[in-house]
Amino acid sequence: MIDETAEEIAEMRTHSSSVVAVKAARALEDLLDEEFHTVEEYVRALERNSSALRRANPSHASLVTTQHEIVEAVEDVDAETVADAKERTQAAIDAVVERVETGKHEAAEAVAEELADGMTLLTHDYSTTVLEAIETAAENGTYLDVYVTEGRPRYMGRRTARRLAEIDRVDATLIVDGAAGHYMDEVDAVLLGMDCIVDDFLYNRVGTYPLAAVAGDADVPVVATGSSAKLVDEGGFRFENDYRTPTEVLLEPSEGFDVANPAYDATPVDLLDRVVTDAGVRQL
């Protein structure tokens, strides 16, 4: 069952990294229904299955770090029985899920408070935290205009635009990725989700780096938001990019040239104005 979840996570390319982290955490609950003769046997199974889940999508920091957190919560306690180890596992899973989901909501609320009536935003990719922030602001009476980049080659922005179109007081406009600079002089702030921030780089959907650079040249503030579970201390996580199939870019065979399709890029954090998470606001 966990192997099936790992395969599913490997294909969850259009989902928020927080959603992936929660799904992976809950997948470990399958072990709680299995029989183990010793605590050592159970802990080995927990580590083996957690490792499989981490390998399924190593580019998602919140997935990797929360899996380590669950395993360490069990390994660091000398459980006397398998039942005790399982109880500790369940508690760690529940704590991780609560922290990730609560973190997203608190970050979204903090961003919503910053959004003033009549603002024009520009966003990229599909971020559940960004969507919740905009929806919360709108529910509080704020009118917003939002430009949404398509997010090629998987067109994640189309999904975002459709969600925004369902929200009262929000006028959404879908634009091609290359048009961000054309519309930047109308924009009050660029609002981005994040896969993770590691050391001095924001890792997010490819296209984020040039978007932040254009915003910086136009003196438009760039705000990244998400759960604090996506903030990784130095040495705690090594980002691995996801290189997707060339057929997402070009359906017909390429003749005489290669097709590159990285899923993420690295944006220097000095191109950001601030990072908003449940842990607070980090000015940059």
Side-chain angles (χ1 to χ4, degrees), residues 26-190:
R26 289 299 185 198
L28 292 177
E29 291 178 330
D30 290 347
L31 295 175
L32 305 182
D33 296 325
E34 297 183 17
E35 294 292 332
F36 297 92
H37 297 294
T38 66
V39 172
E40 292 74 15
E41 181 186 0
Y42 171 75
V43 173
R44 285 196 300 270
L46 178 64
E47 168 55 35
R48 183 175 65 254
N49 284 278
S50 177
S51 179
L53 291 166
R54 296 195 301 270
R55 290 195 305 271
N57 205 326
S59 63
H60 281 346
S62 52
L63 162 63
V64 175
T65 56
T66 52
Q67 283 293 311
H68 279 304
E69 184 177 331
I70 293 168
V71 174
E72 289 170 1
V74 179
E75 290 179 335
D76 292 346
V77 175
D78 293 328
E80 295 183 358
T81 66
V82 173
D84 290 339
K86 287 183 176 181
E87 182 178 350
R88 181 63 180 171
T89 302
Q90 184 67 73
I93 291 171
D94 291 342
V96 159
V97 171
E98 173 70 16
R99 180 163 58 85
V100 171
E101 293 185 338
T102 299
K104 287 175 53 178
H105 297 319
E106 291 181 356
E109 290 176 358
V111 172
E113 292 177 359
E114 296 183 353
L115 301 181
D117 192 43
M119 284 185 71
T120 297
L121 306 174
L122 190 150
T123 191
H124 179 63
D125 191 31
Y126 181 87
S127 165
T128 53
T129 308
V130 168
L131 284 167
E132 183 176 343
I134 293 173
E135 185 171 18
T136 299
E139 288 175 349
N140 291 336
T142 302
Y143 286 84
L144 298 168
D145 291 313
V146 185
Y147 286 109
V148 185
T149 55
E150 279 192 307
R152 274 186 54 85
R154 294 188 64 87
Y155 299 108
M156 306 283 279
R158 296 181 182 182
R159 185 180 178 194
T160 299
R162 291 188 181 100
R163 283 284 307 277
L164 292 174
E166 298 172 352
I167 303 174
D168 291 338
R169 301 187 183 89
V170 174
D171 289 328
T173 302
L174 183 69
I175 62 174
V176 298
D177 294 351
H182 177 77
Y183 290 101
M184 193 61 70
D185 62 352
E186 302 177 25
V187 174
D188 297 303
V190 173

Side-chain angles (χ1 to χ4, degrees), residues 13 59 239-246 248 259-264:
R13 308 302 184 183
S59 63
F239 183 83
E240 295 182 27
N241 210 335
D242 178 18
Y243 290 88
R244 303 288 296 150
T245 173
E248 292 179 350
V259 177
N261 186 18
Y264 304 96

